[in-house]
Structure formats: C-alpha cells, structure tokens
Amino acid sequence: MRTELRVLDPSIWDDWYGKLTLAFGGVPEAPEESALWRELTECERSIGAWDGSDIVGTASLISFRLSVPGGAIVPAAGVTMVSVQATHRRRGVLRAMMRRQLDDIRAAGDEPLAVLTASEPDIYGRFGYGAATQTAYAEIDTTQVRLSVPEGTDDVTLRAVAPEAAVEACEAVYARRVPARPGMLERLRGWERVPLLDPPGERAGASPLRCVLAESGGEVSGYVRFAVKPDWDLAGPKGAVVLRDLEALDPASYAALWRFLFDLDLTSVIRTGPRPVDDPWQHLVSDIRRCAVRLRDSLYVRLVDVGAALAARTYPAPVDAVLEVTDPFCPWNEGRWRLSGDAKGASCERTTDAPDLRLGARELGAAYLGGVPLTALAGAGRVQEVRQGALTEAATAFASPVAPWLPHNF
C-alpha cells in the first residue's frame, strides 16, 4: 500500500508512541517517563506515516528557543521522536517525513533553524543537518586527582535540598546561564521536569536523585544534581558519584560544588553526564589524564532560512563575505548570500556578487554555533575558498569564545 502522512490525533498517542518505542528496541518506559513525553508532545506538529491501518513511521517537532553566539535566543524547531518500523525501511518513509517537516517549518515562517540529536550520525547529513556541538563525558579518579579551587570558594555555603523542592531555584540559575553559551535551550513549560526524571528501573544500582544548592551572598548561585552508586571490594569502598547536571553563576560557586562531589564519603570516582567540551573543571584538576575524558557528537543544526538564521546571531569579528550555498533538499536556500556583521548585529541578503566561499547546507549548520571551525571543514574539502583570505576571515567571525553545548537530549 502507499504510505500516507497524517497529523497525529491526540486520541491515538499511545499507539503512535508505542510504535516509536518498538522501533528503538521495544523496551517499555517507566509510566512517569511516558506520561511526561505525552504532555510535552505537540500533537499538531507531530506526524505518523500510515500503511493502511498501521503506523509505520513517527516524527515530531517541538517549539524550542535556542541560544546562539552573541546571546540571542532564536526560535528553533526541535526534531524528535523520529522512527521507521523495520518492515518499512528503505522505502522513502524517513525522507517523506523530513520533507514534510522542513516544508511545514518554512511555511510557518517562525523558526529559521531546525535542530536534532541523532541516534545514528550517518542518517541526517543528507537532509542538511550538520553536527554543530560536541559533549564531553569523564570518569574522574578522585583517589588520585586533586582539586585546586579559586579564592572565595570557602565563602560559598552548600545546602542539600530535595530535587523537587529545588526546581524553582535551579531553573532560575539555569535561565541565567542560557544566553552565555550557544546551544542551550530555554526551558519552556514542562521541560523543567525532564532533569528530574529518575525511574528506579534506570538507576543501575544508584541512589535516588539528590540535589545540593550553592549559596553566595544570601542567594542561590549554583546547583548540582547527582546520585551515588555504592560499591565495595576487599580493599574497601569504591562507590561512584553519578553527576547528572551542574550549573553555577560564578567560579567560586562552581568550584564549591565540584569540591563537594570530590569529597563525598565512600566514593572513588565521578562519572559525569554530558558536559561542555570547555568545562572549567578540567582546569581545576591536578591530572587530566586520570579523568578519562571522551567526546561525542551532540546537537545537529539545520538552517531552514539561511538569511534569517545568519542574521539572528552576532559575530565576534567583523565579517563581510559572499557565501555560495548549495542545498538540494531545501532549494529555496540555494544561491549567493552576502553576510555582513560584527558583535553588534548582522544582515544576510541575497546577492549576485562573486562568491568568497562555497559550502553546503550541512557545513553551514555545523559551523553555525561557532564550535566547528570553517577552516577544519575546508581542510576536509567540504568548504571551498574562492577569494584568498576569505576563509580565515569567515572562520574567525563564525567562532564562539564559549564552546556550544546542548545540556540534555530531547
């Protein structure tokens, strides 16, 4: 039968989501997880691919707001809950859903960007999504690594609070951090509950989620959410601290929270969740080699409207360059664009002038948040310099002084 795409009827969400779960291995989620995802699903922006009476594909969009270089918060469509049943792979179902999503985003005209996290990195490049951020994971041997903290750390007070009781304080800190780092998402209504998800069946032997607040000058200046996984051998305790998330407004509060984690009794290692690649803790430790840092791709960015997206961010160095963009999946972006801007603002308009650089939509998405240098893409043959010197100028302007980072998946 011919596959048909339909907007999700809220009354069949359970069936639709069940097919998504099946495509990702078929292991049912905890009731509190599925209940939260049901609440966060924007059914009017979700679609199912139907083969007769069967749902064989799912895809959804979430209305996000994303921090970009310069501190602006830009509307972005979050692509999520994408799946195709094993019986219908390689039949154009995914391509049709990607086509429908980007056409819908463009038609609405409100979101110049689409973003996603990829279950498999090889999938989305052909649709113009570029890997724009990396995330760092670490396993820190706290029996061998010492922490050196800045002046003022001893003045910070720490207070243990139940995670649910600390949500408002934590979210106030998080909100102040969003403009400071590209790639972070504003927490829209309901999303503040995502970091609190803690199903017992997914703890892998660790404790329930815990929370500690840092306070400085009588105000909350940071927080950490974590769990402890006890372990013992003949030599004694060797438990693990499982770090879920940590944010702070100043170096002393940040260091105080890390010192607290290092000093937890009966533990010998800190296993971090996703952290920025330039996370300052790496400059507090005595031996980075004993921290087993590893990197992974994270947020993928796609420019739906090249002109609006490039004009939405600022550039730390002046730029005036004509970009010749190829974009076969979204041909409305193809052509030459003159980007002019600096730290105060930018404009990006169509032009017939000779190009300075040639690149594809995937490369533009990868470079957009300032974490992937245009020079590195050029070294891989994916960006071409036409005017001598244009590559260095553009690469300097596109760079972000702070590494872009996505705090959590969606």
Side-chain angles (χ1 to χ4, degrees):
M1 292 185 180
R2 182 181 177 183
T3 302
E4 178 186 4
L5 300 184
R6 305 177 196 167
V7 175
L8 175 60
D9 184 330
S11 67
I12 64 166
W13 185 92
D14 287 334
D15 187 18
W16 180 87
Y17 194 75
K19 292 300 179 69
L20 170 67
T21 303
L22 180 62
F24 278 85
V27 178
E29 291 183 336
E32 58 266 38
E33 284 187 277
S34 56
L36 179 55
W37 294 126
R38 179 168 189 157
E39 181 180 324
L40 297 176
T41 301
E42 298 177 33
C43 290
E44 70 281 5
R45 304 195 75 186
S46 304
I47 53 177
W50 293 76
D51 185 349
S53 59
D54 296 328
I55 300 173
V56 298
T58 65
S60 183
L61 294 173
I62 297 176
S63 306
F64 281 134
R65 288 172 53 80
L66 178 77
S67 176
V68 301
I73 310 297
V74 176
V79 177
T80 186
M81 302 185 190
V82 178
S83 72
V84 177
Q85 294 303 302
T87 54
H88 285 67
R89 293 185 62 198
R90 299 182 180 90
R91 292 172 57 178
V93 176
L94 176 62
R95 184 179 182 86
M97 293 191 298
M98 293 293 101
R99 171 82 280 137
R100 171 71 173 268
Q101 283 189 328
L102 288 168
D103 287 344
D104 287 351
I105 297 168
R106 184 195 183 209
D110 301 320
E111 298 157 323
L113 301 170
V115 295
L116 58 81
T117 60
S119 56
E120 297 180 79
D122 189 45
I123 294 176
Y124 293 98
R126 63 185 184 271
F127 305 122
Y129 289 87
T133 77
Q134 289 185 311
T135 192
Y137 295 83
E139 189 162 314
I140 306 168
D141 182 352
T142 54
T143 68
Q144 300 292 324
V145 179
R146 300 183 308 280
L147 206 64
S148 177
V149 299
E151 184 177 349
T153 301
D154 292 338
D155 298 327
V156 177
T157 59
L158 303 180
R159 180 164 56 94
V161 184
E164 296 78 8
V167 170
E168 184 176 350
C170 293
E171 290 304 307
V173 172
Y174 179 88
R176 290 178 61 180
R177 295 292 302 152
V178 170
R181 186 178 291 277
M184 294 185 71
L185 300 171
E186 273 192 350
R187 292 252 225 266
L188 303 182
R189 186 185 63 81
W191 283 88
E192 76 283 353
R193 291 160 53 196
V194 171
L196 301 183
L197 282 174
D198 186 36
E202 297 182 13
R203 292 174 186 163
S207 70
L209 188 68
R210 296 164 60 181
C211 179
V212 166
L213 300 179
E215 297 178 339
S216 181
E219 297 185 352
V220 174
S221 53
Y223 66 89
V224 61
R225 295 185 180 115
F226 67 100
V228 174
K229 183 177 181 179
D231 196 10
W232 302 76
D233 63 14
L234 293 177
K238 56 171 188 176
V241 179
V242 182
L243 173 59
R244 290 276 291 271
D245 57 316
L246 185 155
E247 293 290 344
L249 300 177
D250 59 79
S253 298
Y254 177 87
L257 291 168
W258 274 100
R259 185 171 63 180
F260 166 79
L261 297 177
F262 265 70
D263 291 344
L264 278 169
D265 289 337
L266 309 180
T267 66
S268 61
V269 65
I270 298 173
R271 298 189 181 116
T272 75
R275 300 297 304 168
V277 298
D278 61 349
D279 210 359
W281 71 262
Q282 297 170 88
H283 305 285
L284 299 177
V285 296
S286 60
D287 189 347
I288 193 65
R289 294 185 188 178
R290 293 183 181 271
C291 298
V293 179
R294 62 196 188 280
L295 304 181
R296 181 177 173 175
D297 58 294
S298 182
L299 186 68
Y300 285 67
V301 173
R302 208 266 187 246
L303 276 62
V304 180
D305 183 329
V306 165
L310 292 179
R313 57 157 291 182
T314 60
Y315 301 84
V319 60
D320 185 14
V322 175
L323 309 178
E324 186 170 274
V325 178
T326 57
D327 192 350
F329 200 70
C330 293
W332 58 81
N333 284 325
E334 295 222 341
R336 297 175 184 174
W337 298 84
R338 177 173 290 280
L339 172 63
S340 301
D342 54 25
K344 296 181 180 178
S347 64
C348 187
E349 304 291 342
R350 288 197 174 274
T351 182
T352 58
D353 293 346
D356 297 312
L357 296 175
R358 292 192 177 101
L359 73 170
R362 180 180 179 181
E363 290 68 44
L364 200 53
Y368 181 75
L369 293 178
V372 178
L374 286 169
T375 47
L377 295 169
R382 292 170 56 184
V383 173
Q384 295 180 326
E385 182 181 55
V386 180
R387 174 177 62 81
Q388 186 174 3
L391 178 62
T392 298
E393 294 169 10
T396 302
F398 267 77
S400 170
V402 181
W405 174 59
L406 176 69
H408 58 82
N409 289 341
F410 52 86

